[in-house]
Amino acid sequence: MSDSITFISRAAPYGENNSKLCMDIALAAAVFEQKINYVFLDDGVYQLLSNQSPEAIASKPVGAALEAFDLYGIENVYVDKNSLSSRNLTQQELVIKAKVADSDLIAELIQNSKSVINL
Amino acid sequence: MSTLHTISKSPAKGLLSSCAPLLKQGDALMLLEDGVYYSYQNELDDLLAKGFEVYCLSEDLLARGPADKNLAESKLLDYEGFVDLCCEHDKLVNWF
Amino acid sequence: MKFSIVIYGAPYSSEAASSAYRFARAVIEQGHGIYRLFFMGDGVLNASRLSVSPQDEVNLQHSWDKLIREHKLDSVVCVSSALKRGIVDATESERYELDGVSAFESSDIAGLGQLVDASVVSDRVVSFG
């Protein structure tokens, strides 16, 4: 079995805390040199919108934090195709480069992982 | 290599439609907490027709009063059965 | 088989934390091992030693504490989630010059590395939230 950890981030930013928890765990896993897949699913794709300005609601921009993925060596970043299209979003609107993945590919990532964190 | 998915929120949260497309042959679904309300509905029919095993935590189902409902064909397990089921699959994906 | 259990849910707000507790007991009763309990987000409130429940209701925080001590479980509370929610042990209380200790001694307050380690080492990771 593979030793990678797959993260499925399903929460919109700001309205609830799960997007941040998911990211924090992934960054910690990256520090400990784990192989990581990071998948944005459902409302999680809203984290990827550019031009977020949450300062007025006393939050840090999630989009900017996602740019840290590169520094941490998290390269396998995916965004669910159906989640994008059902929200009228396109890949061009996203703040980081994420590979567009269909359900079959995400199912395969899950199958080939040691464990899955789904928040 | 198979995965046990669990859903623990009400069907109103729509987690089954996120989870179902990610199931692979041999995977199974366990319903607990408010997820057991899926067993009251026909939303599970598609999964059952495809041959996926669907289980329901008996403590949570009984707590909610299933007696006169026409339950979908999910199999009832208690916590011990839930633990056994976790051992039968290689990993879990918990939807909440 | 080695299980780790991750608890994201606050006690009483939803069923998640008490499900996790019942699941942990079932794991032990079935003869399996618990590698680690990890409390994160609102789940850290399960480690509060300052809760009082009505006499006819279960005090989940006390139940966790008893289970952890009885079975000498490795139990970790996420430090960043805990500090923000006022869950502090003696060390953190002293470090930040706070006037009390709110965490049970049965759990350690530590970083996310402990969750990553649990994900890698355990045979099964089960999350409740």
Side-chain angles (χ1 to χ4, degrees):
Chain A
M1 185 186 297
S2 158
D3 52 357
S4 61
I5 305 176
T6 292
F7 293 82
I8 306 176
S9 185
R10 292 185 289 113
Y14 316 121
E16 55 177 307
N17 193 35
N18 282 358
S19 61
K20 180 157 191 313
L21 294 184
C22 196
M23 194 182 315
D24 287 348
I25 303 168
L27 295 180
V31 168
F32 287 92
E33 298 187 340
Q34 300 302 307
K35 289 182 202 151
I36 292 166
N37 301 307
Y38 206 91
V39 181
F40 292 93
L41 186 75
D42 296 342
D43 278 352
V45 301
Y46 286 132
Q47 294 170 49
L48 295 167
L49 288 185
S50 46
N51 298 320
Q52 298 175 34
S53 311
E55 293 76 12
I57 53 170
S59 298
K60 294 177 193 161
V62 165
L66 290 174
E67 289 170 25
F69 274 14
D70 245 0
L71 298 173
Y72 283 79
I74 302 176
E75 290 163 356
N76 297 323
V77 183
Y78 303 87
V79 56
D80 174 55
K81 190 177 165 187
N82 293 332
S83 306
L84 278 183
S85 60
S86 64
R87 286 166 182 76
N88 286 330
L89 297 173
T90 61
Q91 203 181 358
Q92 286 72 40
E93 293 170 86
L94 308 182
V95 68
I96 56 169
K97 269 194 197 140
K99 297 165 209 163
V100 176
D102 60 13
S103 300
D104 288 345
L105 176 59
I106 299 169
E108 224 156 274
L109 293 175
I110 292 173
Q111 190 180 36
N112 294 326
S113 299
K114 166 80 169 74
S115 67
V116 178
I117 289 174
N118 183 18
L119 279 171
Chain B
M1 288 244 290
S2 63
T3 302
L4 176 64
H5 292 255
T6 70
I7 295 181
S8 56
K9 296 291 184 227
S10 156
K13 282 203 68 173
L15 292 174
L16 183 63
S17 54
S18 300
C19 161
L22 305 182
L23 294 185
K24 283 203 163 251
Q25 195 74 41
D27 290 355
L29 175 64
M30 172 90 202
L31 305 167
L32 67 153
E33 300 175 17
D34 282 348
V36 302
Y37 287 121
Y38 274 111
S39 67
Y40 291 48
Q41 302 187 346
N42 49 20
E43 264 187 85
L44 288 174
D45 291 352
D46 195 34
L47 279 189
L48 293 165
K50 285 179 182 156
F52 289 106
E53 302 281 2
V54 181
Y55 302 89
C56 196
L57 190 67
S58 56
E59 284 90 336
D60 281 333
L61 187 69
L62 294 174
R64 286 159 176 80
D68 56 349
K69 299 290 172 196
N70 185 18
L71 296 184
E73 286 178 44
S74 51
K75 301 186 171 77
L76 284 186
L77 291 180
D78 58 11
Y79 272 94
E80 287 191 1
F82 182 15
V83 172
D84 289 341
L85 191 63
C86 293
C87 298
E88 288 168 22
H89 295 274
D90 301 292
K91 67 177 102 43
L92 285 103
V93 179
N94 304 111
W95 298 82
F96 49 81
Chain C
M1 197 158 272
K2 277 187 296 189
F3 281 79
S4 282
I5 301 172
V6 191
I7 302 100
Y8 296 96
Y12 317 116
S13 303
S14 72
E15 197 183 341
S18 64
S19 298
Y21 172 76
R22 279 190 289 275
F23 185 81
R25 285 188 46 162
V27 166
I28 294 165
E29 280 162 19
Q30 297 280 85
H32 299 293
I34 293 185
Y35 179 72
R36 182 165 296 145
L37 301 174
F38 194 90
F39 295 92
M40 185 160 184
D42 289 345
V44 301
L45 297 170
N46 286 283
S48 169
R49 58 188 281 275
L50 299 177
S51 74
V52 179
S53 290
Q55 269 188 345
D56 60 342
E57 288 177 25
V58 173
N59 185 313
L60 189 56
Q61 292 96 327
H62 285 90
S63 302
W64 277 120
D65 177 55
K66 190 162 170 272
L67 186 76
I68 293 163
R69 283 188 290 105
E70 266 181 16
H71 298 279
K72 299 187 170 65
L73 302 180
D74 183 322
S75 174
V76 175
V77 175
C78 168
V79 62
S80 56
S81 299
L83 291 178
K84 284 196 260 192
R85 289 167 179 79
I87 300 295
V88 290
D89 58 11
T91 312
E92 301 296 341
S93 182
E94 198 174 323
R95 187 195 323 255
Y96 294 98
E97 298 177 359
L98 306 172
D99 59 5
V101 171
S102 54
F104 277 115
E105 281 180 16
S106 53
S107 291
D108 294 322
I109 296 188
L112 284 170
Q114 299 294 307
L115 174 55
V116 175
D117 170 68
S119 301
V120 174
V121 175
S122 312
D123 299 308
R124 301 289 181 274
V125 181
V126 191
S127 303
F128 293 86

